[in-house]
Amino acid sequence: MNLHPMHEAQLVNYLTATHIDDGLLINFGGEKLEIKRKYRIYRPPLP
């Protein structure tokens, strides 16, 4: 099993919801370990 773009999108949604700027996707299920790091810069909505 590989990491798919939908997994990355879900991570970014979690980062947005929790106001966290970086996160890791780790896949232990494949033939080799797969790790992706995603960054997001939180910008509060304008009033």
Side-chain angles (χ1 to χ4, degrees), residues 42-47:
Y42 176 70
R43 292 185 184 96
L46 296 174

Side-chain angles (χ1 to χ4, degrees), residues 10-30:
Q10 185 175 14
L11 174 61
V12 172
N13 287 334
Y14 288 154
L15 295 175
T16 301
T18 58
H19 306 280
I20 297 173
D21 291 329
D22 58 343
L24 292 175
L25 285 171
I26 304 173
N27 181 11
F28 297 99

Side-chain angles (χ1 to χ4, degrees), residues 23-42:
L24 292 175
L25 285 171
I26 304 173
N27 181 11
F28 297 99
E31 291 183 14
K32 62 179 185 175
L33 184 66
E34 187 177 1
I35 301 172
K36 284 192 176 183
R37 188 173 198 166
K38 297 297 286 184
Y39 296 96
R40 188 197 71 80
I41 298 173
Y42 176 70

